[in-house]
């Protein structure tokens, strides 16, 4: 309450008694806004403080290959206007059924609208991060933990389960056991994991706004909640509502259980399994952002009065423009580094090695003493020529790209034509870093960055 009051929001003890529900919802909504604003302020502070020390804070998701990328986790749950967390299991069957119903609702929402969640975190930087080093893969799935998954299966199959030991949640349903708190958040490869009394969306990149995934999750879950509410409101009022809730769970869960995956998201077998299950795999930003303008997306947002068709089209254009800007900067920077720093360094190194070979030949006159040096020199020259070719390709490609008027078509050109060349340049430079004398290499090496700076 003190925190809310500080931000100009009346405390719960001072709200209008005639409309307590509306006030409670407003407080929750504003708390979410405050948390997101604080995250934005922190990002700005990091950049400002870095400048004061002669540094630059780059909120890039994946600057170094083989090293953990930078991302964010969105912790999300649904709380009623009376303060009840619908993802917190209760102590008796009456309290537990809303939890199970909301869980089944969320499973359906994520399954039906997985592409929307993927689209919310689509950025050029995040494309480098997803799928390795504690970042989830691009395939959307949900992790419930084996016990919770087994509980829902028991309801749909009418099976009784044996109890197990460890710290437990009280589910309140007599025919199923409680489940472990410690069994639900160990899978770091899961994009959307249940972590005790909330879900954790682990895909957003470090440069992202936390608000975009939140409003997307809110919208898709609200849409399914409305569907469930409409169904329950049409049931026979003379019969107990619990019967209809159980029926709803038993009917809907089997249709959407394909989205549940408790295994290793990095394994190639999961890609094949997901394909067989019909789950989409939008591998990069270019495949993700057209989801904005699908008719089913537009219908979803318009019927929930969240975004209009024009607003969705504008976001599609903004995301395309942002991708183009970020990719252009990345490619332009790579060209300058390769052309103005790395290529001259390699040329000087080649000259030094050549002079050394000639000096040894003159002094000893024996080819066998310089055979290794000649092979090393030939290898370096080969990589230098490949580097020169990629610089030329990227230079010409940028000219072509900026001449494409349509933002999305330009983004496709960057992704399909120039990113592969940029990746090839990266491979060449990494190889040269291992071949060239450290004292002449113009930029910090991986070893310097990770262990010495």
């Amino acid at each position: 309450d003190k925190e809310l009051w500080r931000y100009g929001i009346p405390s719960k003890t001072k709200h209008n008694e005639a409309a307590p529900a509306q006030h409670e919802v407003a407080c929750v909504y504003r708390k979410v806004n405050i948390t997101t604003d604080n995250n934005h302020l922190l990002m700005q502070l990091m950049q400002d403080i870095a400048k004061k020390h002669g540094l630059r804070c780059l909120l890039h998701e994946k600057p170094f290959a083989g090293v953990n990328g930078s991302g964010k986790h969105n912790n999300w749950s649904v709380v009623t206007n009376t303060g009840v967390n619908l993802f917190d299991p209760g102590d008796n069957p009456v309290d537990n059924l809303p939890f199970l119903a909301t869980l089944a609702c969320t499973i359906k929402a994520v399954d039906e609208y997985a592409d929307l969640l993927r689209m919310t975190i689509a950025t050029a930087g995040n494309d480098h991060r997803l799928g390795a080093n504690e970042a989830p893969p691009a395939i959307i799935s949900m992790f419930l933990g084996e016990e919770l998954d087994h509980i829902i299966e028991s309801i749909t199959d009418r099976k009784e389960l044996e109890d197990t030991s460890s710290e437990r949640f009280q589910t309140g349903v007599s025919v199923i056991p409680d489940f472990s708190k410690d069994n639900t958040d160990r899978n770091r490869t899961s994009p959307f994991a249940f972590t005790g009394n909330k879900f954790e969306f682990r895909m957003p990149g470090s440069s992202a706004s936390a608000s975009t995934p939140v409003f997307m999750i809110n919208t898709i879950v609200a849409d399914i909640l409305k569907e469930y509410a409409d169904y329950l409101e049409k049931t026979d009022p003379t019969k107990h509502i619990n019967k209809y809730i159980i029926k709803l769970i038993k009917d809907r869960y089997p249709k959407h259980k394909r989205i549940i995956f408790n295994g290793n998201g990095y394994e190639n077998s999961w890609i094949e399994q997901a394909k067989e299950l019909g789950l989409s795999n939008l591998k990069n930003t270019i495949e993700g952002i057209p989801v904005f303008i699908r008719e089913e997306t537009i219908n979803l947002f318009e019927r929930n009065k969240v975004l209009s068709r024009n607003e969705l089209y504008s976001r599609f254009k903004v995301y395309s423009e942002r991708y183009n800007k970020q990719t252009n900067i990345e490619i332009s920077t790579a060209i300058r580094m390769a052309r103005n720093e790395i290529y001259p360094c390699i040329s000087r190194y080649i000259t030094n090695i050549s002079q050394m070979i000639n000096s040894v030949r003159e002094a000893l006159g024996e080819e066998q003493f310089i055979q290794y040096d000649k092979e090393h020199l030939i290898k370096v020259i080969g990589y230098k020529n490949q580097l020169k070719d990629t610089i030329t390709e990227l230079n010409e490609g940028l000219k072509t790209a900026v001449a494409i008027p349509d933002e999305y078509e330009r983004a496709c050109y960057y992704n399909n034509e120039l990113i592969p060349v940029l990746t090839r340049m990266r491979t060449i430079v990494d190889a040269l870093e291992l071949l060239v004398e450290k004292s002449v290499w113009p930029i910090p090496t991986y070893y310097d960055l990770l262990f010495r700076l």
Side-chain angles (χ1 to χ4, degrees):
D1 286 351
K2 290 181 179 178
E3 180 184 27
L4 292 173
W5 187 259
R6 188 168 45 135
Y7 284 91
I9 304 170
S11 71
K12 296 177 183 178
T13 57
K14 296 181 174 63
H15 72 269
N16 183 355
E17 297 294 340
Q22 291 88 330
H23 174 81
E24 296 283 354
V25 171
C27 284
V28 172
Y29 176 74
R30 293 189 185 187
K31 277 187 177 181
V32 172
N33 281 349
I34 291 168
T35 303
T36 302
D37 288 346
N38 285 344
N39 183 251
H40 280 253
L41 287 171
L42 179 61
M43 293 163 67
Q44 186 62 52
L45 280 171
M46 290 165 62
Q47 294 172 318
D48 292 343
I49 292 171
K51 290 179 182 178
K52 292 180 180 179
H53 295 277
L55 303 171
R56 289 294 182 270
C57 175
L58 302 178
L59 297 171
H60 195 289
E61 284 76 11
K62 188 67 174 171
F64 306 115
V67 181
N68 286 1
S70 299
K72 296 176 180 177
H73 289 181
N74 276 35
N75 292 281
W76 174 86
S77 62
V78 178
V79 180
T80 69
N81 56 11
T82 57
V84 176
N85 181 0
L86 293 177
F87 286 117
D88 193 4
D91 295 329
N92 56 66
V94 175
D95 290 335
N96 186 265
L97 285 175
F99 160 70
L100 294 174
T102 308
L103 183 64
C105 167
T106 305
I107 291 170
K108 180 179 180 182
V110 174
D111 181 37
E112 288 193 349
Y113 299 111
D115 287 355
L116 290 178
L117 292 181
R118 172 66 181 90
M119 173 266 294
T120 63
I121 52 85
T123 64
N126 219 21
D127 285 350
H128 297 295
R129 168 180 168 263
L130 296 178
N133 304 97
E134 292 198 2
I139 302 171
I140 300 291
S141 65
M142 298 178 70
F143 176 79
L144 301 182
E146 292 183 3
E147 289 188 46
L148 182 53
D149 193 26
H150 205 26
I151 287 172
I152 302 179
E153 292 283 358
S154 74
I155 293 176
T156 58
D157 296 338
R158 291 185 177 180
K159 293 180 181 178
E160 294 192 9
L161 305 178
E162 296 181 0
D163 197 0
T164 55
S165 60
S166 65
E167 187 180 359
R168 320 205 61 78
F169 284 119
Q170 297 296 320
T171 62
V173 179
S174 59
V175 296
I176 59 178
D178 309 327
F179 59 94
S180 306
K181 285 185 178 180
D182 283 344
N183 197 41
T184 54
D185 68 343
R186 297 296 181 245
N187 190 342
R188 310 307 292 175
T189 70
S190 176
F192 202 77
F194 185 73
T195 56
N197 60 358
K198 56 183 171 54
F199 276 96
E200 192 170 79
F201 186 44
R202 295 168 171 160
M203 296 185 76
S206 53
S207 64
S209 168
S211 61
T212 305
V214 169
F215 97 81
M216 187 63 67
I217 297 170
N218 288 349
T219 302
I220 64 176
V221 173
D223 191 67
I224 306 302
L225 278 172
K226 182 179 184 300
E227 175 191 323
Y228 279 29
D230 290 343
Y231 166 83
L232 294 173
E233 287 173 359
K234 294 176 183 177
T235 57
D236 187 346
T238 63
K239 296 183 179 180
H240 204 286
I241 192 67
N242 290 1
K243 172 184 176 181
Y244 293 105
I245 294 177
I246 292 295
K247 181 181 178 182
L248 187 63
I249 296 171
K250 291 174 63 176
D251 176 64
R252 305 298 168 86
Y253 174 72
K255 298 176 182 177
H256 301 284
K257 61 187 291 185
R258 65 174 186 168
I259 200 70
I260 306 299
F261 178 65
N262 295 328
N264 183 359
Y266 294 164
E267 292 180 351
N268 291 330
S269 59
W270 168 231
I271 298 176
E272 296 301 319
Q273 181 183 344
K275 185 177 180 180
E276 292 175 2
L277 292 170
L279 300 179
S280 63
N281 182 10
L282 304 178
K283 299 176 183 178
N284 52 52
T285 297
I286 300 308
E287 295 182 14
I289 57 179
V291 178
F292 268 119
I293 54 175
R294 288 180 184 175
E295 280 302 314
E296 54 265 36
T297 302
I298 295 171
N299 292 336
L300 167 73
F301 280 96
E302 288 193 331
R303 69 172 171 263
N304 286 285
K305 297 179 174 57
V306 177
L307 294 173
S308 67
R309 178 182 294 269
N310 288 339
E311 288 171 325
L312 286 165
Y313 267 89
S314 70
R315 279 163 173 76
F316 169 69
K317 290 182 67 67
V318 167
Y319 270 56
S320 299
E321 183 179 2
R322 180 178 65 178
Y323 180 86
N324 292 335
K325 179 180 179 181
Q326 291 175 339
T327 306
N328 184 285
I329 291 173
E330 188 171 332
I331 294 173
S332 299
T333 302
I335 291 173
R336 286 195 296 272
M337 291 178 67
R339 182 185 58 209
N340 300 339
E341 295 184 74
I342 296 172
Y343 190 85
C345 151
I346 302 301
S347 298
R348 288 193 299 271
Y349 180 71
I350 289 173
T351 300
N352 293 338
I353 295 294
S354 300
Q355 291 174 349
M356 182 271 295
I357 290 174
N358 289 332
S359 297
V360 172
R361 182 186 287 116
E362 290 178 7
L364 301 178
E366 294 287 344
E367 285 292 322
Q368 61 183 11
F369 294 124
I370 57 174
Q371 187 59 38
Y372 170 81
D373 298 301
K374 287 173 63 177
E375 293 174 357
H376 179 73
L377 179 61
I378 290 170
K379 187 181 294 186
V380 174
I381 291 174
Y383 279 121
K384 178 184 79 78
N385 292 336
Q386 292 180 45
L387 179 62
K388 179 187 65 176
D389 292 340
T390 57
I391 293 173
T392 302
E393 285 185 64
L394 290 176
N395 260 323
E396 295 302 315
L398 281 182
K399 295 177 184 177
T400 302
V402 297
I404 299 174
D406 184 84
E407 292 286 354
Y408 184 68
E409 288 182 12
R410 187 188 310 170
C412 289
Y413 181 82
Y414 276 126
N415 181 75
N416 300 332
E417 303 297 332
L418 298 189
I419 292 297
V421 181
L422 186 64
T423 303
R424 193 165 78 246
M425 173 186 279
R426 170 62 180 272
T427 303
I428 295 167
V429 172
D430 284 350
L432 285 168
E433 182 180 307
L434 298 176
L435 293 173
V436 174
E437 181 185 348
K438 186 177 183 299
S439 62
V440 301
W441 191 251
I443 56 180
T445 65
Y446 261 61
Y447 182 84
D448 292 332
L449 290 167
L450 295 176
F451 305 112
R452 300 188 66 174
L453 292 181

